[in-house]
Amino acid sequence: MSALPPLTSIRAFEAVARHLSFTRAAEELGMTQAAVSYQIRILEERVGAPLFLRRPRQIALSETGARLAPDVTKAFDTLRETFADSRGLVDGMLSISSVPTFASHWLAANIGLFQLANPEIAVRVEASPHLVDFGTEEFDVAIRATSRLQDGLVWHLLLKAEFAPMLSPRLVEQYQVREPADLLRVPQITPDDPWLYAWLELAGVSVPPTPDRPFSRLGAQNLEAAAAIAGRGLAMVTPAFYADDVASGRLVRPFDITGWDGHGYYLTYPEARRNSPKIKAFRDWIVPATEGLRSSQGRSE
């Protein structure tokens, strides 16, 4: 396959042919008029014939130039349309990575409101505990539970990851849970949960030794809450996510004592992308939309 002439020269020819002006082509391309003329000379040498007829105060396409111009212009139009379409797809799709608990207990129920307010933006949500690498993965924003805010990223607190014990009404009655120490008799869904020990200390209960027997771990708060609703034991969860379950009687929060270890649920994205229209639209929607979650926690931000 024979090599194409330099793309810079082809681009200069397309602009000059369209404007029939070296001056206007140079302005469009951000080049000097001399540089445009040089690129045209390179192309004429490759083609082996003049592409323009130089006349006083005007130029015209030569026979060879007139034969080349329509196909070259069509090719550049195709490229412009292709990149415009690709840019539209990128700008019109918001990719969100979220930790599973936030995704299942708030985002899934509310993301439709964002789409109603922003019908030009499609949304893709992936629920995963995986930490996104914005440099190598195609996500625009992430929602993470953390206490360590990484440099180079913008962070917006959506909700403090507070914790309190919850269990089914049946277990409350079965184990006669009347004071915090009574929880020690209730089966623990995750017996070595650090939230459990922190909460017991906060409630003034002597912390029992870590069990040395084998036990299962569900590994995600939303799974532990599902097990608690099913009556399998006590789960340490973030109360703001389960207000509806408490109101409906599926879960009981037997005590008002709330713990917090500094973790929070944050919206995060690269500093360099803070002005991206779709990221700005999502940020401007989700931060006010989660205000009700934050205000229900009873702590000042």
Side-chain angles (χ1 to χ4, degrees):
M1 179 182 290
S2 60
L4 282 170
L7 184 58
T8 303
S9 296
I10 300 175
R11 186 165 173 251
F13 169 71
E14 189 275 336
V16 175
R18 183 160 30 89
H19 292 295
L20 289 179
S21 167
F22 282 84
T23 301
R24 292 178 62 187
E27 292 172 352
E28 176 183 307
L29 299 174
M31 301 168 66
T32 64
Q33 186 173 339
V36 171
S37 296
Y38 174 71
Q39 293 300 328
I40 296 300
R41 284 200 301 273
I42 291 176
L43 191 60
E44 288 176 331
E45 289 174 3
R46 291 291 296 270
V47 172
L51 298 175
F52 295 96
L53 303 176
R54 278 79 168 174
R55 297 168 177 166
R57 298 185 179 180
Q58 66 176 352
I59 62 170
L61 286 163
S62 69
E63 181 179 346
T64 301
R67 189 168 59 251
L68 287 175
D71 288 340
V72 171
T73 298
K74 182 179 178 181
F76 273 89
D77 285 343
T78 299
L79 285 172
R80 291 187 188 98
E81 291 172 5
T82 298
F83 280 99
D85 289 346
S86 297
R87 182 72 260 170
L89 289 173
V90 170
D91 290 341
M93 171 66 74
L94 179 72
S95 296
I96 306 168
S97 172
S98 174
V99 289
T101 297
F102 193 95
S104 62
H105 283 81
W106 193 88
L107 191 59
N110 292 279
I111 194 64
L113 299 176
F114 170 74
Q115 292 186 284
L116 285 174
N118 299 272
E120 73 284 1
I121 301 177
V123 175
R124 176 174 72 93
V125 178
E126 180 177 301
S128 170
H130 167 68
L131 294 178
V132 169
D133 181 348
F134 287 107
T136 61
E137 298 179 69
E138 294 185 350
F139 285 102
D140 298 298
V141 300
I143 296 171
R144 286 286 163 261
T146 186
S147 61
R148 298 179 180 179
L149 309 187
Q150 180 183 341
D151 291 340
L153 300 178
V154 181
W155 299 86
H156 301 275
L157 180 64
L158 304 179
L159 178 69
K160 288 182 176 180
E162 297 181 339
F163 51 85
M166 290 193 185
L167 63 165
S168 70
R170 179 176 63 80
L171 291 187
V172 171
E173 294 306 314
Q174 180 179 344
Y175 291 94
Q176 294 294 295
V177 176
R178 301 293 181 263
E179 58 185 47
D182 296 335
L183 294 175
L184 297 176
R185 301 195 300 268
V186 181
Q188 311 297 320
I189 291 173
T190 303
D192 66 345
D193 189 336
W195 278 3
L196 173 63
Y197 292 93
W199 188 90
L200 290 172
E201 286 187 354
L202 193 62
V205 178
S206 297
V207 177
T210 303
D212 56 5
R213 59 177 175 78
F215 53 85
S216 300
R217 289 184 176 86
L218 297 182
Q221 183 185 151
N222 59 328
L223 299 180
E224 294 177 355
I229 291 171
R232 302 296 181 256
L234 178 150
M236 299 300 300
V237 298
T238 299
F241 287 136
Y242 302 97
D244 289 344
D245 294 297
V246 172
S248 66
R250 291 188 294 270
L251 281 175
V252 173
R253 181 184 177 185
F255 309 105
D256 290 335
I257 301 168
T258 304
W260 184 53
D261 61 3
H263 279 66
Y265 291 91
Y266 290 86
L267 170 69
T268 184
Y269 48 85
E271 174 72 40
R273 300 185 205 170
R274 68 159 56 242
N275 292 322
S276 165
K278 60 184 175 182
I279 291 177
K280 182 178 184 298
F282 187 66
R283 176 187 68 225
D284 292 350
W285 171 78
I286 195 171
V287 173
T290 51
E291 174 60 33
L293 285 176
R294 293 191 296 277
S295 63
S296 71
Q297 295 187 309
R299 281 195 176 93
S300 60
E301 293 299 313

